[in-house]
Amino acid sequence: MSPSQTTPVLGLNKGLLILDTSANAAGAPRNRERVLVVGGGVTGLTTSWILLDAGYDVTIVSEQWAPATPRITSQIAGALWEYPPAVCGQHTDAGSLALSKGWSLTSYRIFDQLSKSLPAIKMRTANFFFGKPIEDLPDQLSKMREIEASCVQGFVRDPDLIAKHAVNQNAGVVDAYSHLAPVIDTDAYMVWLHDLVEAKGAELVTRRIDGDLLDSEAKLLEAYGAIAIVNATGLNSFAAAGDKSCYPLRGGLIRLVNDGKRFPKVTEALAVTHDNELSSEHEDIVFIVPRNDNILILGGIAQPHKWELNFTMESPEIQRMRERCNKFVPGLENAEFDPVAPVVQGLRPTRVGNVRVGRELRPNRVHGGSSSIVHSYGQGGSGFSFSIGCAVDVLRLIDQVVLEKRTGNFNVEIYRANL
């Protein structure tokens, strides 16, 4: 499957924001057909928004909705838009990486428009620092040049950014660039997204669906009167898609009060990546992002195959992360912790083959024909960055499912990609 070339256009209809994708290349007769979306995180809700605006009726089934206690994964996310590969996640599949670049730029354009009216999204300067000249880092050099040539605004490559942000001289960084990037207040945005799809007529059902969706496909389609199913269950796709390549990338964030009283208020994002494959032993990431007007988040933990959510302020990983950030920007050591949630943690939904946006390849287990399930999962730490772009491609695949069912014509091309 090639990346979608259709970028939604943001508009208004009866006072509600709409994402108009206009083109229906498959020619599917939508006619208010119902789609069942399984998963209530940012991927599921954004996909539902796109489907609703395209003319589908939507039922969303999720075990939890934002705001939740403890927070769902989408509320915990760092949610700094990044052009892939992101600071806290490396792609291992070239095809997925190529697709994700298109998804991220589609999302960038819409987030930029949303930021003009939605307080939960702010366009902030994001600064990226490197321990070598970028010319000595081939992958980073390629990424930088693609950003510079894209729709991303405000690109500046300047080693003087290190001094501008008073980065500790002992931090070991020698090069830097910056650009404008959407930063999402995930708590506020997820509530807004939930309310938006509900206002557009989505039916929200609170329940847990266990097991492989393929096993219960026929019953689910009948029970909800749906013509197709979207799997947006994230890490639960280990079971829901029978995908044993799914695994968690555990992360944790420290939340600080960012009011300028105990240290100079941070208004721009600061990030340092590393240039090796992620492992539990790599802890050189620095991730400092103003979440909203009063909260600063510190990050830099990416631990694969760790399922336990047991971080505390005393955890060695949390303490080392705090020390890295303190050393990077002197003054942070004086910060006050967020009294509501000083530490948050979650499991990024990751996959060996990276992101999967595609049709279910296994035949329907009732009648043996093609399945009506479309998958969107494995976005790792880039769920927000990819959300709108992935949703556009899911819409196109749903259109193909509908057309196939209405005409009886099976299109083998849709089965040649398994991302």
Side-chain angles (χ1 to χ4, degrees):
M1 181 178 65
S2 60
S4 172
Q5 299 300 310
T6 303
T7 296
V9 177
L10 193 65
L12 282 172
N13 182 22
K14 298 180 181 179
L16 292 177
L17 285 166
I18 61 170
L19 284 172
D20 180 13
T21 56
S22 297
N24 180 359
R30 290 165 179 163
N31 300 330
R32 307 310 309 184
E33 296 282 8
R34 183 166 295 277
V35 177
L36 173 63
V37 176
V38 184
V42 66
T43 298
L45 293 184
T46 305
T47 301
S48 299
W49 180 8
I50 287 274
L51 291 170
L52 287 160
D53 287 351
Y56 287 104
D57 288 335
V58 175
T59 298
I60 314 168
V61 174
S62 180
E63 187 177 12
Q64 287 183 300
W65 310 92
T69 303
R71 288 175 165 90
I72 64 173
T73 300
S74 291
Q75 289 178 263
I76 295 165
L80 167 69
W81 180 92
E82 290 186 73
Y83 187 76
V87 166
C88 290
Q90 297 291 331
H91 277 74
T92 56
D93 181 85
S96 179
L97 177 59
L99 286 166
S100 68
K101 292 176 180 180
W103 294 328
S104 68
L105 292 176
T106 294
S107 300
Y108 184 98
R109 295 183 183 99
I110 297 302
F111 284 141
D112 180 37
Q113 295 178 61
L114 283 172
S115 71
K116 296 172 173 56
S117 60
L118 186 63
I121 301 175
K122 289 182 168 56
M123 297 297 290
R124 296 187 185 273
T125 299
N127 301 271
F128 298 88
F129 301 93
F130 305 90
K132 297 179 181 178
I134 297 176
E135 284 74 13
D136 294 342
L137 302 167
D139 290 344
Q140 294 294 348
L141 178 62
S142 175
K143 175 178 174 177
M144 182 186 74
R145 286 175 172 166
E146 290 176 9
I147 291 172
E148 190 174 12
S150 73
C151 65
V152 174
Q153 304 167 45
F155 176 84
V156 175
R157 190 271 181 91
D158 188 354
D160 287 345
L161 290 168
I162 300 168
K164 175 186 174 182
H165 291 284
V167 174
N168 192 325
Q169 293 183 355
N170 296 321
V173 295
V174 300
D175 210 345
Y177 65 74
S178 66
H179 59 73
L180 284 177
V183 176
I184 295 114
D185 182 343
T186 53
D187 287 312
Y189 183 77
M190 288 301 297
V191 171
W192 174 82
L193 197 54
H194 171 281
D195 293 347
L196 180 71
V197 296
E198 190 172 40
K200 288 176 177 290
E203 179 185 3
L204 278 63
V205 178
T206 304
R207 63 165 287 198
R208 179 182 177 89
I209 297 177
D210 291 313
D212 193 329
L213 290 174
L214 193 64
D215 291 333
S216 54
E217 177 181 356
K219 291 182 179 179
L220 289 171
L221 291 173
E222 181 180 3
Y224 291 101
I227 198 167
I229 299 172
V230 176
N231 168 36
T233 60
L235 191 56
N236 286 337
S237 292
F238 185 90
D243 189 345
K244 305 310 178 187
S245 72
C246 295
Y247 65 93
L249 190 65
R250 182 169 67 170
L253 299 172
I254 295 172
R255 293 167 57 98
L256 304 177
V257 177
N258 188 30
D259 57 8
K261 294 181 179 179
R262 295 198 177 188
F263 63 96
K265 186 168 185 174
V266 177
T267 59
E268 299 183 8
L270 312 170
V272 179
T273 186
H274 57 65
D275 304 296
N276 304 301
E277 292 183 3
L278 286 174
S279 77
S280 59
E281 295 164 358
H282 286 110
E283 292 190 346
D284 52 348
I285 302 169
V286 173
F287 188 79
I288 302 171
V289 180
R291 168 52 55 85
N292 50 40
D293 290 336
N294 296 307
I295 295 295
L296 184 70
I297 60 174
L298 309 183
I301 297 175
Q303 298 179 326
H305 306 289
K306 298 288 188 180
W307 291 87
E308 302 81 10
L309 291 175
N310 54 8
F311 284 142
T312 69
M313 287 303 300
E314 289 70 41
S315 298
E317 299 96 329
I318 295 295
Q319 292 183 350
R320 289 194 294 268
M321 180 175 70
R322 178 69 192 274
E323 290 171 4
R324 289 197 304 276
C325 293
N326 289 352
K327 290 178 180 178
F328 192 74
V329 179
L332 284 183
E333 67 273 10
N334 300 319
E336 175 187 359
F337 291 109
D338 175 15
V340 177
V343 174
V344 294
Q345 56 195 301
L347 305 177
R348 303 177 185 92
T350 316
R351 181 173 177 264
V352 171
N354 305 133
V355 187
R356 182 184 185 188
V357 176
R359 291 281 299 269
E360 173 58 60
L361 304 183
R362 300 168 294 170
N364 183 290
R365 289 177 180 164
V366 172
H367 56 69
S370 59
S371 171
S372 301
I373 299 173
V374 172
H375 297 286
S376 183
Y377 65 89
Q379 285 85 354
S382 298
F384 283 86
S385 294
F386 297 166
S387 58
I388 299 170
C390 285
V392 171
D393 279 353
V394 169
L395 168 63
R396 185 175 61 182
L397 292 169
I398 292 294
D399 282 344
Q400 291 173 338
V401 172
V402 173
L403 184 64
E404 180 184 303
K405 286 196 171 185
R406 292 296 175 236
T407 65
N409 293 327
F410 170 69
N411 183 355
V412 71
E413 292 299 322
I414 62 179
Y415 285 91
R416 290 185 176 174
N418 182 20
L419 299 175

